[in-house]
Amino acid sequence: MSDANRVLIFDTTLRDGEQSPGATMSHDEKLEIAALLDEMGVDIIEAGFPIASEGDFAAVSEIARAAQNATICGLARANLKDIDRCWEAVKHAKSPRIHTFIGTSPLHRQIPNLTMDEMADRIHETVTHARNLCDNVQWSPMDATRTEWEYLCRVIEIAIKAGATTINIPDTVGYTAPRESAALISRLIETVPGAADVVFATHCHNDLGMATANSLAAVEAGARQIECTINGLGERAGNTALEEVVMAMKTRHDIMPFTTGVDSRKIMHISRRVAAVSGFAVQPNKAIVGKNAFAHESGIHQDGMLKNPENFEIMRPEDVGLSATNLVMGKHSGRAALRSKLAELGYEMGDNQLKDVFVRFKELADRKKEVFDDDLVALMRDASADPETEHLKLKFLRVVCGTQAPQSADITLTVDGEDQQATAQGDGPVDAAFNAVKALYPHGARLQLYQVHAVTEGTDAQATVTVRMEEEGVLATGEAADTDTVVASCKAYVTALNRLRVRRDKLGGKDTREVSYKDAG
């Protein structure tokens, strides 16, 4: 691939991205993110706005000294003081760049209250000053997409003659559309004297959700630098997302024959770090880096994925640093996906066993938004009981609890094939449920352990309850999982009693139910 098709990636996560309200990063966090960007092959890192604060100056300076590969850039307004401060911050980089800008649209010209001619003179003066300090100068006409055509051409020509080596065309308010973005770039390259001697760049905001499309359209029209951020972080609705443009060029090389030096396999790691340090969580359905980007819940999609991942994925998860596709288990999942997921967890089963587990899985999925691996493990433990040894089986449970005592439980147990009902009270709903079981199945076993823990996070998490019972030196443990903690407790209690009876039978012991009846009589 020729150099003409090489697209430079200019990352401004540490400058424009950090300008998102609430996204401020600490000094060490900035250094960490800069190091990750440098390692992944970003061409230019806009490390900050040096004159904005002493902290920003210090961060840009240290990043400049530490960078091994990337050009380190600082931002400066169109005045000599800003530019001098920027140069002081970046001058120790192996490859420094000064980026200076001024708003050129009618609205933005009113801010410094400059006429067109006065602004043109300011641009000439400041770009010339920057070029006298640094041979790598980028200039941006802020709000370029709303600047009059003739004036935009005029000031770009002035900046090129003053020594700018990169001309960035910002869509500052995310106003343009892909067709307009492409037309503007191609027309500028064709019209402005000296355009062939500089790199044209594009900086698109996402106010109308078209930042990535606008950036790629600009590249197809001749721009060779894309300004972007990790996760699309930035002012208002954000910027063009680095991960989106990189993967778009990678996956659609047939229609966009461009190359980039970014190692896409590092995308997911840096995305998660930026989300963590900025405090801006990545939305689940975000392209490329959202948790659902390589996740499939629909049974039809899961079956297709198991047959051939290309059925529903246009890129491999390994290409962005993930280990594998995630088959999300939920109420839309089918048997094929459940069998595959359980096999990953070490559970191989025949068709009949899968049929029974699938019914239990669907019941759980109807109560939970997402069924996690730990949920499935708990489900398998709960389903592992041998039906032939289930002398007791919980059929119905309803408890009354709250701040006013007494707490009570209504229960229906199937005891050796016969349904029996009872109501009991207790010190809390679990105690009441246990007392109701004992009313229907009197026994002399003693509760040694009662333990509850949440299998997964969230208010709909499954609770796994462990109950250990002891009877004349014989121990039995029951485990059960349910989104209702009291139900899980009662199931675990019943399972422990079932196992005690089985162990008594194997040891030739007596039935404690009979002892209890005699004692009661």
Side-chain angles (χ1 to χ4, degrees):
M1 199 60 61
S2 67
D3 289 341
N5 286 329
R6 175 85 145 91
V7 176
L8 302 174
I9 299 298
F10 178 111
D11 185 273
T12 183
T13 302
L14 297 174
R15 199 277 299 169
D16 198 324
E18 204 204 13
Q19 288 176 197
S20 299
T24 301
M25 304 177 200
S26 70
H27 181 83
D28 289 343
E29 288 168 345
K30 290 179 181 180
L31 298 184
E32 178 193 358
I33 298 304
L36 292 174
L37 290 169
D38 192 31
E39 183 182 340
M40 78 185 297
V42 166
D43 298 284
I44 305 103
I45 300 171
E46 190 165 52
F49 200 163
I51 205 166
S53 68
E54 289 300 321
D56 229 30
F57 178 86
V60 176
S61 298
E62 193 163 342
I63 290 168
R65 287 181 170 87
Q68 297 299 308
N69 307 299
T71 294
I72 303 303
C73 176
L75 186 68
R77 292 167 298 187
N79 66 66
L80 304 186
K81 185 178 179 182
D82 270 38
I83 293 169
D84 287 341
R85 189 66 168 163
C86 180
W87 174 242
E88 284 299 313
V90 302
K91 68 181 182 181
H92 296 293
K94 291 181 179 178
S95 174
R97 175 183 290 191
I98 295 173
H99 178 195
T100 183
F101 73 98
I102 194 168
T104 56
S105 70
L107 286 168
H108 283 255
R109 288 199 300 269
Q110 294 176 13
I111 296 173
N113 194 28
L114 295 174
T115 66
M116 286 184 171
D117 289 341
E118 288 171 339
M119 181 167 285
D121 291 340
R122 174 79 62 86
I123 292 166
H124 179 269
E125 177 190 20
T126 53
V127 174
T128 299
H129 183 68
R131 183 57 192 264
N132 287 335
L133 296 173
C134 180
D135 62 5
N136 188 340
V137 175
Q138 175 169 316
W139 179 75
S140 296
M142 186 165 64
D143 205 19
T145 55
R146 295 193 297 175
T147 299
E148 304 95 321
W149 167 251
E150 292 79 6
Y151 189 63
L152 183 62
C153 290
R154 176 186 173 188
V155 292
I156 289 175
E157 182 181 0
I158 289 171
I160 292 173
K161 288 182 176 179
T165 51
T166 299
I167 301 295
N168 177 50
I169 306 300
D171 183 24
T172 303
V173 293
Y175 182 73
T176 196
R179 184 185 302 174
E180 296 170 325
S181 178
L184 179 59
I185 293 294
S186 61
R187 194 177 175 194
L188 287 171
I189 292 174
E190 292 169 0
T191 305
V192 177
D197 300 323
V198 300
V199 173
F200 273 81
T202 180
H203 180 121
C204 299
H205 280 262
N206 204 39
D207 296 71
L208 294 177
M210 293 189 284
T212 296
N214 286 334
S215 293
L216 292 172
V219 167
E220 289 187 275
R224 285 298 175 267
Q225 177 179 294
I226 296 179
E227 300 205 359
C228 47
T229 61
I230 300 296
N231 299 338
L233 197 64
E235 298 270 9
R236 303 180 312 280
N239 291 283
T240 299
L242 178 149
E243 60 276 5
E244 293 175 6
V245 294
V246 168
M247 295 311 296
M249 289 190 292
K250 186 180 181 70
T251 57
R252 294 310 310 270
H253 209 260
D254 54 336
I255 61 172
M256 289 184 289
F258 308 116
T259 60
T260 171
V262 171
D263 184 351
S264 66
R265 295 168 299 178
K266 300 182 185 298
I267 282 176
M268 193 60 69
H269 175 64
I270 194 170
S271 168
R272 290 171 176 171
R273 286 304 300 146
V274 168
V277 301
S278 69
F280 276 61
V282 178
Q283 66 193 62
N285 62 331
K286 174 78 167 62
I288 315 300
V289 294
K291 76 170 187 176
N292 291 344
F294 294 92
H296 308 268
E297 182 180 336
S298 162
I300 295 173
H301 282 230
Q302 290 176 337
D303 187 55
M305 284 295 300
L306 291 169
K307 289 182 170 65
N308 183 352
E310 292 183 9
N311 283 326
F312 292 107
E313 287 184 352
I314 61 172
M315 64 192 80
R316 301 180 307 164
E318 296 88 347
D319 291 339
V320 296
L322 287 173
S323 58
T325 291
N326 179 25
L327 296 185
V328 177
M329 304 309 297
K331 66 179 182 179
H332 301 297
S333 300
R335 283 183 175 83
L338 180 61
R339 184 194 294 274
S340 175
K341 178 64 75 172
L342 290 174
E344 289 178 15
L345 298 173
Y347 297 99
E348 300 288 346
M349 61 189 67
D351 292 341
N352 289 337
Q353 187 181 8
L354 178 66
K355 183 178 179 181
D356 176 65
V357 172
F358 187 69
V359 171
R360 295 171 185 253
F361 163 72
K362 283 290 190 179
E363 290 174 351
L364 176 61
D366 281 337
R367 289 177 282 157
K368 285 178 63 68
K369 291 181 179 179
E370 183 176 345
V371 179
F372 298 96
D373 289 358
D374 287 343
D375 290 313
L376 293 176
V377 172
L379 186 71
M380 291 304 295
R381 288 174 179 168
D382 198 30
S384 63
D386 184 351
E388 295 182 0
T389 65
E390 285 190 307
H391 303 288
L392 303 176
K393 188 172 183 180
L394 179 64
K395 188 172 184 180
F396 171 83
L397 175 64
R398 178 173 58 203
V399 298
V400 176
C401 61
T403 58
Q404 293 185 345
Q407 286 78 35
S408 63
D410 297 322
I411 195 169
T412 299
L413 278 184
T414 302
V415 183
D416 292 330
E418 180 183 346
D419 288 349
Q420 299 182 24
Q421 297 177 334
T423 298
Q425 296 179 348
D427 185 12
V430 173
D431 188 48
F434 286 5
N435 289 339
V437 171
K438 195 168 184 178
L440 294 176
Y441 189 80
H443 59 82
R446 183 172 64 88
L447 181 65
Q448 274 201 342
L449 174 71
Y450 172 74
Q451 191 174 63
V452 182
H453 76 273
V455 174
T456 50
E457 297 179 355
T459 56
D460 64 350
Q462 279 200 103
T464 292
V465 177
T466 302
V467 168
R468 185 163 67 236
M469 309 285 287
E470 184 271 333
E471 176 193 36
E472 296 182 355
V474 178
L475 295 174
T477 299
E479 284 187 338
D482 198 279
T483 53
D484 187 314
T485 304
V486 181
V487 171
S489 300
C490 197
K491 286 181 177 179
Y493 189 71
V494 166
T495 299
L497 290 174
N498 277 324
R499 290 176 177 171
L500 269 179
R501 178 165 175 171
V502 170
R503 292 184 181 184
R504 278 198 312 270
D505 291 345
K506 289 181 178 179
L507 294 172
K510 56 187 177 180
D511 191 331
T512 55
R513 244 192 333 156
E514 297 176 1
V515 173
S516 298
Y517 279 131
K518 290 178 182 178
D519 291 344

